[in-house]
Amino acid sequence: MTSAGLTRDFLAAHDPHALAPLDFLRARFDAGLAWVQYPEGLGGLGLPREEQSAVDEAFTAAGAPDNNPRRIGIGLGMAAPTILRHGTDEQRHRWLRPLWTGEEVWCQLFSEPGAGSDLAGLATRAIRDDDGTGWVVDGQKVWTSMAHEARWAILIARTDPSVPKHQGITYFVLDMTAPGVEVRPLRQATGEAEFNEVFLTGVRIPDTDRLGAVGEGWAVAQTTLMNERVAIGGGASPREGGVIGVVTDVWRKRPELRTPALHDALLRLWVEAEAARLTGTRLRQQMAVGQPGPEGSAAKLLFARLNQEISALELDLLGEEGLRHDEWTMRRPTVVDFAGRTAGYRYLRAKGNSIEGGTSEILRNIVAERVLGLPPEHRLDKDLAWKDLPK
Amino acid sequence: MTSAGLTRDFLAAHDPHALAPLDFLRARFDAGLAWVQYPEGLGGLGLPREEQSAVDEAFTAAGAPDNNPRRIGIGLGMAAPTILRHGTDEQRHRWLRPLWTGEEVWCQLFSEPGAGSDLAGLATRAIRDDDGTGWVVDGQKVWTSMAHEARWAILIARTDPSVPKHQGITYFVLDMTAPGVEVRPLRQATGEAEFNEVFLTGVRIPDTDRLGAVGEGWAVAQTTLMNERVAIGGGASPREGGVIGVVTDVWRKRPELRTPALHDALLRLWVEAEAARLTGTRLRQQMAVGQPGPEGSAAKLLFARLNQEISALELDLLGEEGLRHDEWTMRRPTVVDFAGRTAGYRYLRAKGNSIEGGTSEILRNIVAERVLGLPPEHRLDKDLAWKDLPK
Amino acid sequence: MTDLLYSDVEEELRASVRSLLADRAGFEAVLARIESPEPVDLKLWRALAVDLGVAGLPVPEAGGGAGASWRETSVVLEELGRAVAPVPFLGNSVLAVAALLGTSDPLLDAVAAGTRVATLAVPLSAGTLKTWTVTAEGDRLDGTVTSVVDAGVAEVLLVPTAAGLYAVEATDTERTPVVSFDLTRPLTDVTLRGVTGRLISADAAGTVERALRAGAALLASEQLGVAEWCLTTTVEYVKTRRQFARQVGSYQAIKHRLADLWVSVTEARAVARYAADCLATGDPDLPVAAALAQAFCSPVAVKAAEECVQLHGGIGFTWEHPAHLYLKRARSNAATFGSAASHRATLAGLVDLPA
Amino acid sequence: MTDLLYSDVEEELRASVRSLLADRAGFEAVLARIESPEPVDLKLWRALAVDLGVAGLPVPEAGGGAGASWRETSVVLEELGRAVAPVPFLGNSVLAVAALLGTSDPLLDAVAAGTRVATLAVPLSAGTLKTWTVTAEGDRLDGTVTSVVDAGVAEVLLVPTAAGLYAVEATDTERTPVVSFDLTRPLTDVTLRGVTGRLISADAAGTVERALRAGAALLASEQLGVAEWCLTTTVEYVKTRRQFARQVGSYQAIKHRLADLWVSVTEARAVARYAADCLATGDPDLPVAAALAQAFCSPVAVKAAEECVQLHGGIGFTWEHPAHLYLKRARSNAATFGSAASHRATLAGLVDLPA
């Protein structure tokens, strides 16, 4: 039967308004309509990924509850594909269902204060415990969204410092309620704390929560990171979707702010935003016909630059209003609300776009080396043991 | 006696309108009023360099002939200071007087097709001749202005390929009329040939025309290059001097070409040009009080970028006229006439500004490493013998 | 949904055109030709028009054309841009075809077949044309049009006047070659003194607007081709050129600039494809797509050509290296069918962002 | 000839101010203060004003000042910019002093001595002021002025009205703190309801114009200070921070960006010095110099602060790192005394480049 037919049947059998939302979501998962490209028994039907959007639309049209995908984005976008690809059957069955239904929130413990762009340089240590059934982890992670709400974390840690850095890393799933896990808010330039620092002190992880082989963590992490970049660059949007729509709205509604110089500056950015949007559309068309182009890196580079330039223009436009802010209170947002705050907030928050999820500098390296085939940077750190690297 | 007094006396004794120009110039040289900072007997009086401009002004006011400084710029700006610093007494006396009077034009044989930014990588070979009294030179030089009019060239050539590249170079003065010197025009994107390629085939140079010790040519060349950069960046100019004056003139005279977008673009460039001009003024004030700042590199970077952006704006302004050119004839100009040709000529010629005399990329390296103290580029070529370098 | 990809048919067409151009319009041949008495390569043109049949791609087969669409035309333009090939494609197969397509004039047959070269007598720089420099008294035309593309080799000129669009025999006019800034795209000043014209359309304004809009939409593909050649050539050069015993392309500042350029070219492809598709499908968004195409692709091509010259160092500044031809084409294109700034001003009206 | 260098006296003054700020306005202290109930550091202000005597540098000694010039003021502003120090120097020692200098009002004594803090009641964003939001009926003033710098701590407000410039006691007004985008430069909305004012000058327009022009000319030095701090701090950081076992500052793309930034800062220094010197010497080119100063230095400071955040990576985006304070100051300065674009428009009139 087709996914459309199965969806119809499911909705006929399960009234979204009668069932409790969690029961409805669990049933949907069990029917294989969560993510149809996943295997049967794991929320899917083994169908092409393209069929999912029609399924989602049918559920939305029927008024079905959703799993609050922005809240569980890290689980959906990064943990799940990694567990699916590298997990054991037991691990998949344990984690994927509550992940998808939103019962369990996930976070990502990758970056460290000393390992940002150079993620593989990480220093968090995992050492086999005495009885050999698990690991003891010590270290500090940073830039962790949702750590304060998360039940589980995907974690990479160094299990062998005596080999070159990419070889001594292992990938774990960490229970965030385990003793020794301390989460502290990390305040940003905006005054908020979207992110956290996570301190790990003698935290025990059972070996059954390791994902992939010991020392293979870097390869496993690639699955996570690849999915992160697709997620950040992705998303179809209509013309004037995103931050450009905010500033065009101001322009249209407030003719008293207009000047000839700002007019041309606005039009330049409108053109750039529309070009970036069409580039994203073309990328999705390529992916749909199975030509995954390298345009994903372009999309993320453009997204960051445009958000920054457009929000700066908005400040230019606002003049005195740009000198005034709404609040600097330390808050703990779970999703970034670009449109709901002041232009100043957008300006500051957008500065993070070229740092988080891969700096623009690293993305340019990736484009230059992987797309254009230019020679790699001179590196000392590929062959030396991690412990012998200059720090 | 002061240089002002000496100038007065000299002009009283030598009527510039009565003497033949060359005789007048020779007499001026012999009186030490050519370049007062040079030693006595070599056209100078050993006085501070700052006194020269008053002397020059007095000669100009008296209607004295000049030595056509743009035509002999390479001799004045590069060869002369190098000969003064590194030449023997005999060499100084042989070359400096006819150089300054303009009787003998000089050119510079440094760059090669394979050695542009990496000048020290040059491949032109000089080998001791059989009787040990001279050298035989073979190789190809490029980007040589005035080679077709020059009597002498300053030349660097490799005398020892078995040592690292900076150590195996020797500095010579080459007689451009010697057998085996072939000068071919090098046509540029503008259609003209300001420059030449110079092919050297078994050219003999007497050892008495070597400047500095064998193998010390790179150090000697630094004197030449330092003076080149000062020359390119230098020069006081009034507000709207240079290419910005050309485009402001078009703007003022032809209101029908104006648009709001171009207006702001023009003002941005006006601001940039004025900032660059003030930067040059400040540089000269620093040099005058003996604080030679590193602003010289900034001046050359700015000069190139501004010429390029301003000439592009002029094309934007001209619309249809920019589609039309004056001529593509292969000509051999001796000085670059930025103002006398079309906007399209300026646009094309300005592209050379960020390449000639040190590319903008190399200048940024210099600023980053020498001014900001950032780590040097990773290099393979400092310790390996020149002959063993990858080419 | 607009299709921004290339179809298999389009890729086959591209391969044929590229192969022909590689054979017949190599750089040395182009360089030799542009200073010769015959700067336009009419033999190459015939091979394109007659052998490959690309002179009238969007014209129905019944009308002498190939029965394809403007999308295929845009692919040909990409390749012509990559080769800066001196053929009268822009005048004939873009401007004249676009002008004639809306009419039922029989001239379209010959123009689409490539057997009679035609062009539209407007200044190449015109983004729109609101006044006419040629007047019609009955069927007698008088006046001058400057900087007309491909008029030097055209047999027929389509001349707009207040009274309508006329076809005139090119040999009846006085044609003065212009020293063009872009040597691979010679321009001609055309003067008509009592020349007899044949009325093709009473609506010159509408016809010219349609043709110039098609021109703006499709020129983006030529600009994409120019930019791609510059990017590809520069990337290859910096991989082989060594300075300080390292490939120039191993220096990170160079790498990042080329990465940024690649991003821009990637965007230009999406934008140019969008414009071509809107034109081919009669999408109501065409006015926006065409203005966007020029506002975006025009500076990208210039940037690519400028980086090409700079990153080649001295050699890129010589007459003997192809880079200057691309720089001149890119810069000339930036003033063709209206500047990027004028297209931004057009967009302001179209998308309700008033001054 | 304009002197664009720093005199020995200026360098000594710089050293004193820098040393005081290093002791008393370190980053942690500033960060703690900006969210406290007293965001402005009046103890530091007294040390500057009374101990160092920099509150009224251009005021003749007979008038309570230091008998120096606006050049020395600009050096103090460079240092205050380097420290983003929260003191009422801009309101008091630039705006109020400039407004009072042209008058013979005795208030200048106290303001120049730093014993009574004053500011000019105009919106900080104003490049020029053509209409007044406060009206005077006899000596009774009514109205509101928004976003006034240093009004929160000022004792005296200089209030422009159509009838002239008045001095009012700050405590007689209603002052509402603004949540300022730049936390180190708190703004205040000031409302006057029948407040008694003392007429200082009948020519409010001329006085305000003079003060705002001095503000524009001198703010460039603060912007230079901000830019210099950002450049220096970033250069130091990339020398020590390692990624991939290499100093971040060894990557050429980073090096070139910092070299370009150094060039811009070098230019900004020449431009800011020129403006300060023109102001100090009453040079007739002052209007051009002041507009140029803002048109050029304002974007340089923003660029420097943006590069500082980006090249610090994640740490530069945290509240605990000073970079964000400089970013906020630079961005806020870009909207202070008129935007760069508005100063370009002013230049258009001054140097005969009409629209």
Side-chain angles (χ1 to χ4, degrees), chain B residues 83 87-95 208-211:
Chain B
I83 293 167
T88 62
D89 254 8
E90 194 189 335
Q91 289 173 329
R92 293 173 181 161
H93 281 99
R94 177 157 40 138
W95 285 317
T208 48
D209 289 355
R210 171 169 50 77
L211 221 53

Side-chain angles (χ1 to χ4, degrees), chain C residues 93 133 195 221 271 286:
Chain C
S93 302
T133 56
V195 175
S221 290
V271 170
L286 174 62

Side-chain angles (χ1 to χ4, degrees), chain B residues 51-384:
Chain B
E51 298 195 17
Q52 186 64 40
S53 55
V55 172
D56 288 344
E57 280 160 27
F59 274 93
T60 304
D66 73 12
N67 55 1
N68 198 352
R70 291 186 69 178
R71 178 165 171 271
I72 60 170
I74 294 163
L76 292 175
M78 287 178 258
T82 313
I83 293 167
L84 180 67
R85 171 125 180 236
H86 299 282
T88 62
D89 254 8
E90 194 189 335
Q91 289 173 329
R92 293 173 181 161
H93 281 99
R94 177 157 40 138
W95 285 317
L96 288 176
R97 189 172 184 256
L99 180 158
W100 188 86
T101 59
E103 287 164 85
E104 292 178 348
V105 173
W106 287 65
C107 68
Q108 179 200 32
L109 296 175
F110 279 21
S111 296
E112 299 181 5
S117 293
D118 180 14
L119 187 57
L122 59 87
T124 291
R125 283 299 312 275
I127 297 176
R128 284 259 186 209
D129 62 7
D130 295 339
D131 61 9
T133 62
W135 302 79
V136 178
V137 181
D138 286 274
Q140 182 189 349
K141 295 288 180 176
V142 79
W143 300 115
T144 315
S145 10
M146 301 299 287
H148 55 300
E149 305 206 3
R151 174 71 174 78
W152 298 101
I154 45 179
L155 166 75
I156 48 180
R158 186 160 307 281
T159 45
D160 187 354
S162 69
V163 292
K165 65 181 187 181
H166 293 94
Q167 299 167 29
I169 295 172
T170 302
Y171 197 116
F172 298 98
V173 170
L174 173 72
D175 181 346
M176 290 293 286
T177 64
V181 176
E182 187 197 347
V183 176
R184 294 187 205 156
L186 177 60
R187 198 173 180 194
Q188 306 144 233
T190 56
E192 305 171 327
E194 283 169 49
F195 302 102
N196 300 278
E197 294 181 289
V198 178
F199 295 82
L200 305 171
T201 314
V203 180
R204 194 177 174 286
I205 301 180
D207 193 50
T208 48
D209 289 355
R210 171 169 50 77
L211 221 53
V214 174
E216 300 282 319
W218 186 248
V220 179
Q222 292 316 300
T223 303
T224 312
L225 295 173
M226 213 99 75
N227 281 282
E228 177 176 23
R229 294 221 172 99
V230 169
I232 289 176
S237 72
R239 182 170 285 170
E240 294 194 12
V243 183
I244 189 71
V246 176
V247 68
T248 51
D249 204 43
V250 174
W251 184 270
R252 291 186 186 114
K253 287 185 178 147
R254 301 185 54 189
E256 76 280 7
L257 299 175
R258 301 175 193 162
T259 72
L262 288 173
H263 189 228
D264 194 53
L266 176 68
L267 291 168
R268 280 176 193 271
L269 289 175
W270 192 94
V271 165
E272 295 256 6
E274 181 63 6
R277 189 182 74 85
L278 289 170
T279 306
T281 303
R282 187 165 193 275
L283 169 64
R284 277 188 304 283
Q285 292 184 357
Q286 281 183 300
M287 297 203 310
V289 298
Q291 309 168 0
E295 276 87 345
S297 301
K300 169 138 171 27
L301 276 166
L302 290 170
F303 171 79
R305 181 165 62 76
L306 281 170
N307 275 0
Q308 291 171 358
E309 293 187 3
I310 294 168
S311 58
L313 178 76
E314 193 186 351
L315 282 175
D316 287 339
L317 189 54
L318 290 175
E320 181 187 347
E321 284 169 60
L323 294 172
R324 303 164 73 106
H325 198 54
D326 50 358
E327 60 166 319
W328 292 113
T329 317
M330 150 84 164
R331 300 195 303 180
R332 307 228 61 195
T334 50
V335 294
V336 180
D337 182 12
F338 251 101
R341 299 276 310 268
T342 65
Y345 173 82
R346 279 185 282 285
Y347 174 78
L348 292 172
R349 183 60 189 80
K351 294 293 173 232
N353 295 155
S354 51
I355 299 171
E356 59 199 335
T359 65
S360 292
E361 289 73 28
I362 291 293
L363 290 175
R364 286 191 197 97
N365 275 357
I366 290 174
V367 168
E369 295 173 15
R370 297 196 204 155
V371 181
L372 301 178
L374 292 170
E377 288 299 304
H378 169 69
R379 290 177 67 166
L380 303 162
D381 60 337
K382 290 226 156 177
D383 304 316
L384 275 180

Side-chain angles (χ1 to χ4, degrees), chain B residues 2-8 10-11 28 31-37 43 45 47-62 64 100:
Chain B
T2 64
S3 59
L6 287 166
T7 303
R8 219 168 23 242
F10 180 88
L11 285 166
R28 178 174 164 186
L33 295 166
W35 32 34
V36 296
Q37 76 275 23
L45 298 164
L47 294 175
R49 176 193 289 262
E50 297 85 76
E51 298 195 17
Q52 186 64 40
S53 55
V55 172
D56 288 344
E57 280 160 27
F59 274 93
T60 304
W100 188 86

Side-chain angles (χ1 to χ4, degrees), chain A residues 113-118 143 165 186-189 191 312 315-316 319-320 322-328 344 347-349 351-352 354-355 360-362 364 377-381 389-391, chain D residues 35 123-125 146-147 178-183 187 189 241-246 251 254 257 302 306 309-311 313-315 317-320 324 327-328 331-333 335-336 341 344:
Chain A
S117 291
D118 179 15
W143 300 114
K165 65 182 188 179
L186 178 59
R187 198 174 180 191
Q188 307 144 235
L315 282 176
D316 287 339
E320 181 187 346
L323 294 172
R324 303 165 72 106
H325 199 55
D326 50 358
E327 61 166 317
W328 293 112
Y347 174 78
L348 293 173
R349 183 60 188 80
K351 294 294 170 228
S354 51
I355 299 172
S360 291
E361 290 73 29
I362 290 293
R364 287 190 196 98
E377 288 300 305
H378 168 68
R379 290 177 66 167
L380 304 162
D381 61 337
L389 293 176
K391 304 249 161 45
Chain D
E35 290 191 288
L124 182 61
S125 57
T146 52
S147 309
V178 170
V179 180
S180 304
F181 181 71
D182 175 4
L183 295 107
L187 305 178
D189 291 344
R241 170 80 173 174
R242 285 174 187 273
Q243 292 284 274
F244 307 104
R246 271 175 57 180
Y251 291 97
I254 307 299
R257 278 160 67 172
V302 171
E306 290 178 338
V309 170
Q310 179 68 22
L311 296 182
I315 189 74
F317 190 57
T318 63
W319 189 267
E320 306 306 324
H324 70 97
L327 181 64
K328 288 162 188 169
R331 234 352 287 196
S332 162
N333 277 350
T336 295
R344 290 195 297 272

Side-chain angles (χ1 to χ4, degrees), chain D residues 58-259:
Chain D
V59 179
E61 292 186 41
S69 84
W70 289 116
R71 287 178 57 99
E72 286 79 6
T73 311
S74 79
V75 171
V76 175
L77 278 162
E78 282 186 34
E79 294 305 311
L80 293 173
R82 285 178 66 96
V84 287
V87 289
F89 192 87
L90 190 64
N92 185 83
S93 303
V94 175
L95 294 180
V97 165
L100 292 169
L101 252 187
T103 71
S104 51
D105 197 274
L107 179 58
L108 181 58
D109 276 33
V111 170
T115 51
R116 294 205 82 195
V117 177
T119 192
L120 183 66
V122 296
L124 182 61
S125 57
T128 56
L129 212 60
K130 300 226 152 60
T131 55
W132 316 112
T133 57
V134 176
T135 55
E137 286 273 323
D139 62 358
R140 295 179 64 80
L141 308 184
D142 284 275
T144 295
V145 187
T146 52
S147 309
V148 180
V149 70
D150 295 329
V153 294
E155 291 155 87
V156 183
L157 303 177
L158 305 178
V159 182
T161 74
L165 184 72
Y166 289 82
V168 306
E169 291 299 311
T171 48
D172 293 347
T173 68
E174 291 165 32
R175 291 182 287 177
T176 313
V178 170
V179 180
S180 304
F181 181 71
D182 175 4
L183 295 107
T184 61
R185 178 158 281 161
L187 305 178
T188 305
D189 291 344
V190 178
T191 295
L192 299 89
R193 297 188 209 271
V195 174
T196 303
R198 185 171 65 74
L199 185 69
I200 288 191
S201 161
D203 177 20
T207 308
V208 168
E209 186 190 8
R210 201 170 58 237
L212 290 178
R213 183 168 287 152
L218 293 173
L219 187 67
S221 290
E222 184 182 298
Q223 288 162 327
L224 171 62
V226 167
E228 280 204 319
W229 184 91
C230 291
L231 174 62
T232 309
T233 304
T234 307
V235 167
E236 288 313 310
Y237 181 74
V238 300
K239 283 182 190 171
T240 54
R241 170 80 173 174
R242 285 174 187 273
Q243 292 284 274
F244 307 104
R246 271 175 57 180
Q247 291 149 281
V248 167
S250 73
Y251 291 97
Q252 198 194 35
I254 307 299
K255 290 166 68 174
H256 280 200
R257 278 160 67 172
L258 288 169

